[in-house]
Amino acid sequence: MAADPPRRQPTLDEVAERAGVSRSAASRAINQAPHVSRATRAAVERAVKELGYQPNRTARALATQQTGIVALAVSHDAPELFADPFFAQVIVGVSAALEDTELHLVLCLASSGRGQTRLTNLLRTRGVDGIMLMALRGDDPLTRIVRQAGLPAVYGGRPLNFEPQWYVDSDNVGGARLATEHLIGLGRTRIVTISGQTGTEVGEARYRGYREAMIMAGLIPYGMAEGDFTEAGGAAAMKTLLDSHPDLDAVVAANDNMAAGALRVLAESGRSVPADVAVVGFDDLDVAERTQPPLTTVHQSIQALGKEMTRMLIDLIAGRERTSLILPTRLVVRDSA
């Protein structure tokens, strides 16, 4: 029995005819070009769906000088990073923003020399249309690599030593200040902090918020130990603080993972939370509801961070103007403080 002949693919002209628009208008709508009316875009999308039209990606790339790919580069080299609840939520947000586009995402771990070389080659050959960056530290080589490439670039969180043209960040200073003010309002005065890594904007900003709240309340910042945003790092920092400030009565941790480590060490040392020591975290990850006791924390919308970064990059690729964005934070009160 003879096989059925292959089904002929519909053409762009047929899409335009079905949508009732010109061929060029259909092409612009399919290629997500700016200055296409909402009605035209909707009519073309409907025609594409009804006819089962598949754009010729090679021809599209030649016509638009675009690859249809965007990158998310992280200054880190451990693949386990993407299993971290924070980065997992960022990627959920990025994916949600890309869902209604034809853009694809490539993830780049680019802290080592080898990773930076791969990223440099990717950008130099215009293998992506734009890039998002996260987890930068100090004078991170990634900033130089990306600035030299001249591609649209959006930063998730601000670098420490310069202000990029486009970024999406959370109100880290205000959130840490809010956490510290909450503890002061509870009558705590010997408040220590487990900071994020020095050399990162997020670590510096959250420490600054803690200091500002203490000084504005007429209190001397009581003690600080640096962590690395992991539970183990928070536990180690809590042990250091208990040794140096055994009469501490509250802890502000720069993220929930470190707060969870601090809670474990406090329990092991016989300190009751919140009776002896009150604890506040930052991020409002799922772990904050599973700690004993459940963790009071500063909520930031991590999925929104990923989503807004991606939307900003999409607009920049399309030639639309955007301004940087700082997302609000709020306190979520649970049993730890």
Side-chain angles (χ1 to χ4, degrees):
M1 183 175 178
D4 292 335
R7 182 173 176 267
R8 184 182 68 82
Q9 292 296 317
T11 66
L12 180 60
D13 288 317
E14 290 169 330
V15 171
E17 182 179 358
R18 174 70 66 94
V21 300
S22 68
R23 188 180 193 278
S24 61
S27 176
R28 289 198 304 274
I30 289 170
N31 290 322
Q32 298 180 345
H35 313 305
V36 177
S37 72
R38 185 176 299 177
T40 295
R41 198 179 299 276
V44 171
E45 288 175 352
R46 186 165 53 249
V48 165
K49 186 175 181 180
E50 291 173 355
L51 293 172
Y53 175 75
Q54 294 292 329
N56 184 323
R57 295 191 181 276
T58 302
R60 174 181 172 178
L62 290 172
T64 63
Q65 298 296 302
Q66 293 181 348
T67 65
I69 301 171
V70 295
L72 173 61
V74 183
S75 188
H76 203 286
D77 279 325
E80 296 81 9
L81 174 80
F82 295 110
D84 180 283
F86 179 89
F87 286 99
Q89 289 295 305
V90 169
I91 293 172
V92 168
V94 170
S95 300
L98 292 176
E99 189 172 342
D100 294 329
T101 76
E102 293 186 17
L103 293 169
H104 299 276
L105 177 67
V106 58
L107 300 174
C108 303
L109 296 175
S111 179
S112 69
R114 185 176 180 183
Q116 291 163 15
T117 298
R118 284 199 302 265
L119 181 62
T120 300
N121 292 335
L122 180 68
L123 301 183
R124 182 183 295 138
T125 59
R126 292 299 193 265
V128 295
D129 298 327
I131 185 167
M132 296 170 282
L133 299 98
M134 296 198 72
L136 303 183
R137 301 182 186 181
D139 293 319
D140 202 300
L142 292 194
T143 61
R144 174 183 49 80
I145 292 169
V146 169
R147 292 163 85 176
Q148 289 176 347
L151 287 170
V154 175
Y155 290 74
R158 284 162 287 184
L160 186 61
N161 297 325
F162 85 101
E163 180 115 342
Q165 187 171 2
W166 297 292
Y167 63 83
V168 180
D169 203 356
S170 294
D171 184 6
N172 291 303
V173 173
R177 189 167 54 232
L178 192 64
T180 311
E181 289 171 346
H182 174 70
L183 293 170
I184 294 169
L186 295 176
R188 309 300 169 118
T189 57
R190 300 182 299 278
I191 305 169
V192 299
T193 185
I194 299 174
S195 75
Q197 290 156 310
T198 56
T200 64
E201 169 61 20
V202 63
E204 300 278 351
R206 292 179 186 178
Y207 179 66
R208 193 159 64 248
Y210 156 79
R211 278 185 57 86
E212 287 180 3
M214 293 290 282
I215 291 169
M216 289 173 64
L219 299 172
I220 298 173
Y222 199 60
M224 183 271 279
E226 182 180 338
D228 61 359
F229 295 113
T230 68
E231 184 172 339
M238 191 71 256
K239 289 176 182 177
T240 298
L241 288 166
L242 284 173
D243 287 341
S244 60
H245 299 80
D247 62 342
L248 62 88
D249 62 8
V251 181
V252 177
N255 80 340
D256 291 343
N257 291 331
M258 294 194 297
L263 286 172
R264 175 165 53 81
V265 169
L266 288 168
E268 291 169 355
S269 69
R271 309 294 179 97
S272 175
V273 177
D276 298 327
V277 180
V279 179
V280 180
F282 202 117
D283 286 339
D284 199 18
L285 300 173
D286 288 345
V287 67
E289 298 186 76
R290 299 197 303 268
T291 57
Q292 291 299 323
L295 183 66
T296 292
T297 187
V298 176
H299 175 88
Q300 65 164 329
S301 182
I302 301 169
Q303 286 191 31
L305 181 68
K307 192 177 296 184
E308 293 300 335
M309 285 169 54
T310 311
R311 288 172 175 169
M312 187 175 291
L313 185 61
I314 291 168
D315 283 345
L316 294 174
I317 292 169
R320 293 186 285 269
E321 291 291 329
R322 287 298 304 264
T323 57
S324 293
L325 182 64
I326 296 181
L327 303 175
T329 54
R330 59 182 172 83
L331 189 71
V332 177
V333 178
R334 298 192 179 95
D335 295 340
S336 70

